[in-house]
């Protein structure tokens, strides 16, 4: 083998990863991981579980400290991390810290899904893995299933899906699948989409019209999903999906950031739902002056705190 192939770059997708001519993949961002813990600041406890030994799909589970004081069942949040389908993990510090804060603030049980990533495992594998995780979660209804935390503390009549960026894309598709196929024993109350990774061939709103910049976005999408039809694939553009109105929840919260290049896609998604026949309630929250996933980069700033409280309020609406 030509040793130069180990150093020559075949594909470069900053700030995500590089692929060398020998096939080696070097992820640049989102590679750090932290173990589960009993968080000293919030009292939230976490642990890791293997969902499928065959595929390696797993999850990090979180329970608030209130579970030690009360037997009351709590709302269940299933979270899908972001990272353009190719970087980050449910075990990264920023997601671990965010879920600790979220679980404490909302008083919920959470399952943070670890799905397989592109390009080694191209989309739609992330969707398949996420659905497998949801089926595993649903196996705990009626006191069944292998995990004691879910059996003892989760209210399957009050379930929410949430995610940021690519994770918001996944949460959307999982909500659609629940609406189309059902998820036995689970009542999906709502989905929360934060800075959703949606796109399209034609610019909308104030989106950048520069062909080269738009081409880079589409090139990354094509690389993570080689079988795609392009930027108007329903996987990435809900505007082309005739099944959009089948979303299987009563409420949707869409969170956008003013300076995010995906901002207009969030607003457009809310318009699409209104035209699709979806009969639920759609809310939009915009963070002024902020960029993509700002709340993960600086969780204590005023807008991050406001975003967390809005999502918590959305989930706790109607809770006794």
């Amino acid at each position: 083998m030509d040793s130069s192939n180990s150093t020559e770059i075949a594909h470069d997708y900053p700030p995500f990863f590089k692929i060398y001519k020998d096939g080696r993949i070097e992820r640049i961002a989102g590679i750090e991981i932290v173990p589960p813990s009993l968080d000293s600041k919030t009292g939230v406890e976490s642990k890791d579980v293997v969902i499928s030994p065959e595929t390696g799909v797993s999850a990090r589970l979180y329970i608030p400290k209130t579970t030690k004081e009360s037997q009351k069942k709590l709302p269940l949040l299933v979270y899908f991390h972001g990272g353009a389908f190719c970087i980050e993990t449910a075990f990264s510090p920023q997601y671990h810290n965010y879920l600790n804060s979220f679980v404490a603030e909302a008083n919920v049980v959470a399952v943070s899904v670890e799905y397989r990533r592109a390009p080694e495992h191209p989309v739609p594998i992330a969707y398949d893995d996420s659905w497998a995780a949801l089926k595993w979660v649903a196996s705990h209804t009626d006191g069944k299933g292998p995990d004691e935390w879910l059996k003892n503390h989760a209210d399957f009549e009050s379930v929410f899906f949430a995610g940021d960026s690519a994770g918001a894309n996944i949460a959307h598709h999982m909500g659609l699948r629940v609406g189309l196929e059902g998820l036995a024993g689970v009542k999906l109350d709502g989905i929360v989409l934060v800075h959703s990774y949606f796109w399209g061939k034609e610019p909308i709103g104030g989106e950048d019209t520069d062909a080269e910049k738009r081409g880079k976005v589409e090139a990354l999408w094509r690389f993570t999903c080689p079988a795609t039809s392009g930027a108007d694939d329903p996987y990435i553009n809900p505007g082309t999906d005739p099944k959009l109105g089948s979303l299987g929840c009563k409420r949707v919260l869409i969170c956008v950031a003013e300076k995010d290049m995906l901002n207009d896609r969030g607003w457009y998604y809310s318009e699409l739902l209104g035209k699709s026949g979806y009969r639920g309630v759609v809310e939009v929250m915009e963070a002024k002056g902020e960029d993509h996933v700002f709340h993960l980069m600086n969780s204590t700033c005023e807008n991050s705190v406001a975003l967390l409280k809005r999502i918590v309020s959305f989930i706790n609406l109607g809770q006794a």
Side-chain angles (χ1 to χ4, degrees):
M1 180 183 292
D2 185 351
S3 61
S4 66
N5 283 346
S6 64
T7 57
E8 290 186 35
I9 297 173
H11 301 280
D12 190 0
Y13 291 98
F16 304 112
F17 58 87
K18 299 176 181 178
I19 298 181
Y20 294 87
K21 288 188 175 180
D22 65 356
R24 180 169 57 92
I25 297 170
E26 179 188 7
R27 284 185 169 82
I28 302 166
I31 55 176
E32 187 181 355
I33 62 172
V34 293
S37 63
L38 175 59
D39 185 55
S40 59
K41 182 178 179 181
T42 62
V44 171
E45 188 174 357
S46 56
K47 67 178 180 180
D48 295 341
V49 297
V50 176
I51 292 171
S52 172
E54 294 78 20
T55 63
V57 175
S58 60
R60 179 159 292 179
L61 276 56
Y62 298 81
I63 54 172
K65 63 181 179 181
T66 57
T67 55
K68 296 178 174 63
E69 305 153 5
S70 170
Q71 294 303 308
K72 180 188 174 185
K73 296 292 181 76
L74 302 175
L76 175 62
L77 173 74
V78 182
Y79 195 88
F80 306 96
H81 71 81
F85 294 103
C86 57
I87 62 168
E88 292 294 353
T89 160
F91 314 130
S92 73
Q94 62 182 10
Y95 286 106
H96 182 70
N97 294 335
Y98 179 70
L99 267 296
N100 277 330
S101 298
F102 191 99
V103 166
E105 184 76 20
N107 198 34
V108 297
V109 175
V111 176
S112 184
V113 177
E114 177 70 354
Y115 53 84
R116 289 174 290 174
R117 301 170 299 181
E120 301 97 324
H121 305 284
V123 175
I125 286 176
Y127 301 136
D128 297 336
D129 288 352
S130 297
W131 186 249
L134 291 176
K135 298 277 278 188
W136 177 83
V137 167
S139 74
H140 293 82
T141 58
D142 298 324
K144 301 173 184 175
D147 188 78
E148 295 299 320
W149 284 8
L150 293 181
K151 285 193 291 187
N152 295 336
H153 304 301
D155 181 1
F156 294 97
E157 292 291 310
S158 183
V159 177
F160 294 83
F161 299 165
D164 64 279
S165 198
N169 177 303
I170 293 173
H172 154 74
H173 283 289
M174 295 304 101
L176 268 184
R177 195 157 177 179
V178 169
L180 293 166
E181 300 179 23
L183 190 61
V186 169
K187 179 184 177 185
L188 180 61
D189 268 353
I191 62 173
V192 180
L193 309 183
V194 181
H195 310 162
S196 306
Y197 179 27
F198 295 138
W199 199 242
K201 192 72 178 175
E202 298 300 323
I204 60 170
E207 274 183 1
D208 201 315
T209 57
D210 183 273
E212 183 178 354
K213 291 180 180 177
R214 298 190 68 83
K216 287 181 178 179
V217 177
E218 184 167 346
L220 177 61
W221 166 245
R222 286 184 177 276
F223 200 76
T224 56
C225 184
T228 186
S229 58
D232 283 336
D233 187 323
Y235 282 152
I236 195 75
N237 185 355
T240 64
D241 192 344
K243 303 186 293 294
L244 182 60
S246 300
L247 204 59
C249 58
K250 298 182 297 183
R251 297 185 291 134
V252 179
L253 175 60
I254 303 161
C255 303
V256 298
E258 183 183 19
K259 294 183 177 180
D260 185 5
M261 67 177 293
L262 301 175
N263 174 282
D264 288 296
R265 292 290 158 179
W267 287 105
Y268 182 49
Y269 181 80
S270 69
E271 295 173 17
L272 291 171
L273 283 179
K275 298 174 183 177
S276 70
Y278 173 66
R279 297 184 178 182
V281 176
V282 181
E283 305 172 36
V284 182
M285 177 188 185
E286 182 175 62
K288 298 296 183 182
E290 300 290 359
D291 212 328
H292 194 63
V293 298
F294 70 92
H295 62 297
L296 297 177
M297 309 302 179
N298 183 3
S299 62
T300 59
C301 74
E302 184 178 346
N303 281 336
S304 293
V305 172
L307 176 61
L308 178 62
K309 289 188 178 298
R310 179 65 180 273
I311 299 172
V312 168
S313 176
F314 177 83
I315 287 177
N316 286 334
L317 181 69
Q319 297 292 323

